[in-house]
Amino acid sequence: APARQVSGLAEQLEEQLFHLYGLHNELIQERLQELAEVMERVGQAEAELRQVCRTMEAAYHDLCL
């Protein structure tokens, strides 16, 4: 009977680990998705800043001529 108990415990442990691994995986996927969204917003902000810089450059250029 002890061997059967050990094998049963091992199975339970395996199921729990598998479940935890699944949850962990889901969490990582969510974090990666959030990171992708943040990076996209950063990219948009950079593009807007570049546009502002170009506009200011043009304005200074016009003022100096």
Side-chain angles (χ1 to χ4, degrees), residues 6-65:
V6 168
S7 126
L9 281 173
E11 267 179 45
Q12 282 178 1
L13 187 62
E14 197 180 353
E15 279 173 28
Q16 284 174 357
L17 284 173
F18 197 73
H19 180 65
L20 279 173
Y21 178 77
L23 288 176
H24 189 65
N25 234 10
E26 246 176 73
L27 198 63
I28 289 173
Q29 289 301 318
E30 282 174 26
R31 291 285 179 273
L32 285 174
Q33 183 61 43
E34 285 169 19
L35 183 62
E37 287 165 13
V38 167
M39 294 305 287
E40 195 180 329
R41 286 199 297 272
V42 167
Q44 287 169 356
E46 278 180 342
E48 285 172 25
L49 276 172
R50 276 195 298 271
Q51 187 60 53
V52 168
C53 285
R54 279 196 291 269
T55 303
M56 287 178 70
E57 242 177 0
Y60 278 123
H61 189 258
D62 291 347
L63 282 171
C64 292
L65 282 184

